[in-house]
PDB file of all heavy atoms in Angstrom:
ATOM      1  N   VAL E  71      83.876 112.709 111.212  1.00 96.00           N
ATOM      2  CA  VAL E  71      85.298 112.363 111.071  1.00 96.00           C
ATOM      3  C   VAL E  71      85.936 112.225 112.442  1.00 96.00           C
ATOM      4  O   VAL E  71      86.668 111.263 112.715  1.00 96.00           O
ATOM      5  CB  VAL E  71      86.042 113.410 110.210  1.00 96.00           C
ATOM      6  CG1 VAL E  71      87.548 113.204 110.290  1.00 96.00           C
ATOM      7  CG2 VAL E  71      85.561 113.349 108.775  1.00 96.00           C
ATOM      8  N   GLN E  72      85.669 113.171 113.336  1.00 96.00           N
ATOM      9  CA  GLN E  72      86.257 113.112 114.676  1.00 96.00           C
ATOM     10  C   GLN E  72      85.778 111.868 115.411  1.00 96.00           C
ATOM     11  O   GLN E  72      86.560 111.199 116.088  1.00 96.00           O
ATOM     12  CB  GLN E  72      85.925 114.371 115.476  1.00 96.00           C
ATOM     13  CG  GLN E  72      86.617 114.419 116.828  1.00 96.00           C
ATOM     14  CD  GLN E  72      88.134 114.291 116.716  1.00 96.00           C
ATOM     15  OE1 GLN E  72      88.769 114.950 115.898  1.00 96.00           O
ATOM     16  NE2 GLN E  72      88.712 113.432 117.532  1.00 96.00           N
ATOM     17  N   GLY E  73      84.498 111.533 115.275  1.00 96.00           N
ATOM     18  CA  GLY E  73      83.971 110.324 115.917  1.00 96.00           C
ATOM     19  C   GLY E  73      84.634 109.068 115.387  1.00 96.00           C
ATOM     20  O   GLY E  73      84.983 108.161 116.147  1.00 96.00           O
ATOM     21  N   TRP E  74      84.825 108.996 114.066  1.00 96.00           N
ATOM     22  CA  TRP E  74      85.461 107.833 113.456  1.00 96.00           C
ATOM     23  C   TRP E  74      86.899 107.699 113.953  1.00 96.00           C
ATOM     24  O   TRP E  74      87.338 106.606 114.315  1.00 96.00           O
ATOM     25  CB  TRP E  74      85.419 107.954 111.931  1.00 96.00           C
ATOM     26  CG  TRP E  74      85.969 106.747 111.239  1.00 96.00           C
ATOM     27  CD1 TRP E  74      85.312 105.590 110.969  1.00 96.00           C
ATOM     28  CD2 TRP E  74      87.302 106.581 110.742  1.00 96.00           C
ATOM     29  NE1 TRP E  74      86.151 104.710 110.332  1.00 96.00           N
ATOM     30  CE2 TRP E  74      87.383 105.289 110.181  1.00 96.00           C
ATOM     31  CE3 TRP E  74      88.425 107.397 110.715  1.00 96.00           C
ATOM     32  CZ2 TRP E  74      88.540 104.804 109.609  1.00 96.00           C
ATOM     33  CZ3 TRP E  74      89.588 106.912 110.151  1.00 96.00           C
ATOM     34  CH2 TRP E  74      89.636 105.626 109.605  1.00 96.00           C
ATOM     35  N   LEU E  75      87.620 108.817 113.992  1.00 97.00           N
ATOM     36  CA  LEU E  75      89.009 108.775 114.473  1.00 97.00           C
ATOM     37  C   LEU E  75      89.064 108.322 115.933  1.00 97.00           C
ATOM     38  O   LEU E  75      89.949 107.549 116.319  1.00 97.00           O
ATOM     39  CB  LEU E  75      89.675 110.137 114.307  1.00 97.00           C
ATOM     40  CG  LEU E  75      89.963 110.558 112.871  1.00 97.00           C
ATOM     41  CD1 LEU E  75      90.400 112.025 112.821  1.00 97.00           C
ATOM     42  CD2 LEU E  75      91.007 109.668 112.223  1.00 97.00           C
ATOM     43  N   SER E  76      88.121 108.763 116.738  1.00 96.00           N
ATOM     44  CA  SER E  76      88.073 108.344 118.145  1.00 96.00           C
ATOM     45  C   SER E  76      87.783 106.852 118.266  1.00 96.00           C
ATOM     46  O   SER E  76      88.391 106.157 119.086  1.00 96.00           O
ATOM     47  CB  SER E  76      87.009 109.137 118.901  1.00 96.00           C
ATOM     48  OG  SER E  76      87.340 110.500 118.948  1.00 96.00           O
ATOM     49  N   ARG E  77      86.862 106.366 117.433  1.00 96.00           N
ATOM     50  CA  ARG E  77      86.548 104.929 117.475  1.00 96.00           C
ATOM     51  C   ARG E  77      87.739 104.091 117.018  1.00 96.00           C
ATOM     52  O   ARG E  77      88.006 103.021 117.581  1.00 96.00           O
ATOM     53  CB  ARG E  77      85.303 104.633 116.635  1.00 96.00           C
ATOM     54  CG  ARG E  77      84.017 105.146 117.273  1.00 96.00           C
ATOM     55  CD  ARG E  77      82.770 104.667 116.547  1.00 96.00           C
ATOM     56  NE  ARG E  77      82.697 105.104 115.159  1.00 96.00           N
ATOM     57  CZ  ARG E  77      82.260 106.298 114.755  1.00 96.00           C
ATOM     58  NH1 ARG E  77      81.868 107.198 115.640  1.00 96.00           N
ATOM     59  NH2 ARG E  77      82.196 106.606 113.470  1.00 96.00           N
ATOM     60  N   VAL E  78      88.461 104.571 116.034  1.00 96.00           N
ATOM     61  CA  VAL E  78      89.661 103.853 115.582  1.00 96.00           C
ATOM     62  C   VAL E  78      90.671 103.772 116.716  1.00 96.00           C
ATOM     63  O   VAL E  78      91.273 102.722 116.955  1.00 96.00           O
ATOM     64  CB  VAL E  78      90.277 104.521 114.329  1.00 96.00           C
ATOM     65  CG1 VAL E  78      91.654 103.949 114.035  1.00 96.00           C
ATOM     66  CG2 VAL E  78      89.365 104.352 113.129  1.00 96.00           C
ATOM     67  N   GLN E  79      90.845 104.863 117.440  1.00 96.00           N
ATOM     68  CA  GLN E  79      91.793 104.863 118.557  1.00 96.00           C
ATOM     69  C   GLN E  79      91.365 103.855 119.627  1.00 96.00           C
ATOM     70  O   GLN E  79      92.199 103.113 120.163  1.00 96.00           O
ATOM     71  CB  GLN E  79      91.892 106.261 119.168  1.00 96.00           C
ATOM     72  CG  GLN E  79      92.924 106.351 120.268  1.00 96.00           C
ATOM     73  CD  GLN E  79      93.046 107.767 120.805  1.00 96.00           C
ATOM     74  OE1 GLN E  79      92.209 108.630 120.545  1.00 96.00           O
ATOM     75  NE2 GLN E  79      94.092 108.008 121.567  1.00 96.00           N
ATOM     76  N   THR E  80      90.069 103.802 119.913  1.00 96.00           N
ATOM     77  CA  THR E  80      89.557 102.851 120.899  1.00 96.00           C
ATOM     78  C   THR E  80      89.805 101.413 120.444  1.00 96.00           C
ATOM     79  O   THR E  80      90.274 100.571 121.225  1.00 96.00           O
ATOM     80  CB  THR E  80      88.047 103.078 121.129  1.00 96.00           C
ATOM     81  OG1 THR E  80      87.850 104.405 121.613  1.00 96.00           O
ATOM     82  CG2 THR E  80      87.485 102.084 122.116  1.00 96.00           C
ATOM     83  N   VAL E  81      89.519 101.142 119.181  1.00 95.00           N
ATOM     84  CA  VAL E  81      89.735  99.797 118.636  1.00 95.00           C
ATOM     85  C   VAL E  81      91.217  99.443 118.683  1.00 95.00           C
ATOM     86  O   VAL E  81      91.582  98.313 119.046  1.00 95.00           O
ATOM     87  CB  VAL E  81      89.187  99.695 117.197  1.00 95.00           C
ATOM     88  CG1 VAL E  81      89.679  98.431 116.508  1.00 95.00           C
ATOM     89  CG2 VAL E  81      87.673  99.747 117.203  1.00 95.00           C
ATOM     90  N   GLU E  82      92.062 100.393 118.352  1.00 95.00           N
ATOM     91  CA  GLU E  82      93.508 100.147 118.373  1.00 95.00           C
ATOM     92  C   GLU E  82      93.961  99.732 119.769  1.00 95.00           C
ATOM     93  O   GLU E  82      94.735  98.773 119.928  1.00 95.00           O
ATOM     94  CB  GLU E  82      94.251 101.403 117.920  1.00 95.00           C
ATOM     95  CG  GLU E  82      95.751 101.239 117.866  1.00 95.00           C
ATOM     96  CD  GLU E  82      96.470 102.505 117.426  1.00 95.00           C
ATOM     97  OE1 GLU E  82      95.851 103.583 117.373  1.00 95.00           O
ATOM     98  OE2 GLU E  82      97.676 102.396 117.139  1.00 95.00           O
ATOM     99  N   LEU E  83      93.485 100.422 120.786  1.00 95.00           N
ATOM    100  CA  LEU E  83      93.853 100.076 122.166  1.00 95.00           C
ATOM    101  C   LEU E  83      93.306  98.714 122.571  1.00 95.00           C
ATOM    102  O   LEU E  83      94.009  97.919 123.212  1.00 95.00           O
ATOM    103  CB  LEU E  83      93.351 101.156 123.125  1.00 95.00           C
ATOM    104  CG  LEU E  83      93.979 102.537 122.966  1.00 95.00           C
ATOM    105  CD1 LEU E  83      93.275 103.559 123.850  1.00 95.00           C
ATOM    106  CD2 LEU E  83      95.469 102.491 123.272  1.00 95.00           C
ATOM    107  N   GLU E  84      92.071  98.423 122.178  1.00 93.00           N
ATOM    108  CA  GLU E  84      91.472  97.139 122.519  1.00 93.00           C
ATOM    109  C   GLU E  84      92.207  95.981 121.853  1.00 93.00           C
ATOM    110  O   GLU E  84      92.455  94.948 122.478  1.00 93.00           O
ATOM    111  CB  GLU E  84      89.997  97.115 122.127  1.00 93.00           C
ATOM    112  CG  GLU E  84      89.124  98.005 122.994  1.00 93.00           C
ATOM    113  CD  GLU E  84      87.698  98.105 122.494  1.00 93.00           C
ATOM    114  OE1 GLU E  84      87.384  97.558 121.415  1.00 93.00           O
ATOM    115  OE2 GLU E  84      86.886  98.732 123.193  1.00 93.00           O
ATOM    116  N   VAL E  85      92.559  96.160 120.598  1.00 92.00           N
ATOM    117  CA  VAL E  85      93.279  95.102 119.877  1.00 92.00           C
ATOM    118  C   VAL E  85      94.669  94.911 120.476  1.00 92.00           C
ATOM    119  O   VAL E  85      95.126  93.778 120.645  1.00 92.00           O
ATOM    120  CB  VAL E  85      93.344  95.407 118.363  1.00 92.00           C
ATOM    121  CG1 VAL E  85      94.298  94.454 117.652  1.00 92.00           C
ATOM    122  CG2 VAL E  85      91.963  95.324 117.748  1.00 92.00           C
ATOM    123  N   ALA E  86      95.333  96.011 120.808  1.00 91.00           N
ATOM    124  CA  ALA E  86      96.660  95.900 121.430  1.00 91.00           C
ATOM    125  C   ALA E  86      96.577  95.106 122.732  1.00 91.00           C
ATOM    126  O   ALA E  86      97.438  94.264 123.014  1.00 91.00           O
ATOM    127  CB  ALA E  86      97.240  97.294 121.682  1.00 91.00           C
ATOM    128  N   GLU E  87      95.520  95.340 123.498  1.00 89.00           N
ATOM    129  CA  GLU E  87      95.341  94.598 124.753  1.00 89.00           C
ATOM    130  C   GLU E  87      95.069  93.116 124.483  1.00 89.00           C
ATOM    131  O   GLU E  87      95.635  92.249 125.150  1.00 89.00           O
ATOM    132  CB  GLU E  87      94.184  95.205 125.543  1.00 89.00           C
ATOM    133  CG  GLU E  87      94.014  94.608 126.917  1.00 89.00           C
ATOM    134  CD  GLU E  87      92.918  95.299 127.701  1.00 89.00           C
ATOM    135  OE1 GLU E  87      92.762  96.524 127.575  1.00 89.00           O
ATOM    136  OE2 GLU E  87      92.218  94.590 128.449  1.00 89.00           O
ATOM    137  N   LEU E  88      94.237  92.841 123.489  1.00 87.00           N
ATOM    138  CA  LEU E  88      93.957  91.442 123.131  1.00 87.00           C
ATOM    139  C   LEU E  88      95.225  90.722 122.682  1.00 87.00           C
ATOM    140  O   LEU E  88      95.469  89.578 123.071  1.00 87.00           O
ATOM    141  CB  LEU E  88      92.931  91.378 122.006  1.00 87.00           C
ATOM    142  CG  LEU E  88      91.476  91.566 122.375  1.00 87.00           C
ATOM    143  CD1 LEU E  88      90.619  91.661 121.122  1.00 87.00           C
ATOM    144  CD2 LEU E  88      90.997  90.424 123.256  1.00 87.00           C
ATOM    145  N   ILE E  89      96.015  91.385 121.874  1.00 86.00           N
ATOM    146  CA  ILE E  89      97.231  90.764 121.360  1.00 86.00           C
ATOM    147  C   ILE E  89      98.226  90.528 122.489  1.00 86.00           C
ATOM    148  O   ILE E  89      98.873  89.481 122.546  1.00 86.00           O
ATOM    149  CB  ILE E  89      97.831  91.607 120.220  1.00 86.00           C
ATOM    150  CG1 ILE E  89      96.911  91.526 118.993  1.00 86.00           C
ATOM    151  CG2 ILE E  89      99.249  91.153 119.880  1.00 86.00           C
ATOM    152  CD1 ILE E  89      97.268  92.472 117.879  1.00 86.00           C
ATOM    153  N   SER E  90      98.321  91.471 123.416  1.00 84.00           N
ATOM    154  CA  SER E  90      99.266  91.284 124.524  1.00 84.00           C
ATOM    155  C   SER E  90      98.821  90.158 125.448  1.00 84.00           C
ATOM    156  O   SER E  90      99.653  89.466 126.037  1.00 84.00           O
ATOM    157  CB  SER E  90      99.444  92.581 125.306  1.00 84.00           C
ATOM    158  OG  SER E  90      98.278  92.891 126.026  1.00 84.00           O
ATOM    159  N   ASP E  91      97.510  89.951 125.569  1.00 83.00           N
ATOM    160  CA  ASP E  91      96.984  88.863 126.403  1.00 83.00           C
ATOM    161  C   ASP E  91      96.967  87.532 125.671  1.00 83.00           C
ATOM    162  O   ASP E  91      96.739  86.489 126.286  1.00 83.00           O
ATOM    163  CB  ASP E  91      95.563  89.186 126.871  1.00 83.00           C
ATOM    164  CG  ASP E  91      95.525  90.370 127.823  1.00 83.00           C
ATOM    165  OD1 ASP E  91      96.587  90.729 128.368  1.00 83.00           O
ATOM    166  OD2 ASP E  91      94.433  90.932 128.015  1.00 83.00           O
TER     167      ASP E  91
END
Side-chain angles (χ1 to χ4, degrees):
V71 169
Q72 185 56 47
W74 184 83
L75 290 170
S76 295
R77 288 189 299 278
V78 169
Q79 184 177 13
T80 300
V81 167
E82 182 181 12
L83 295 173
E84 290 173 355
V85 170
E87 186 176 324
L88 281 172
I89 291 171
S90 70
D91 293 343

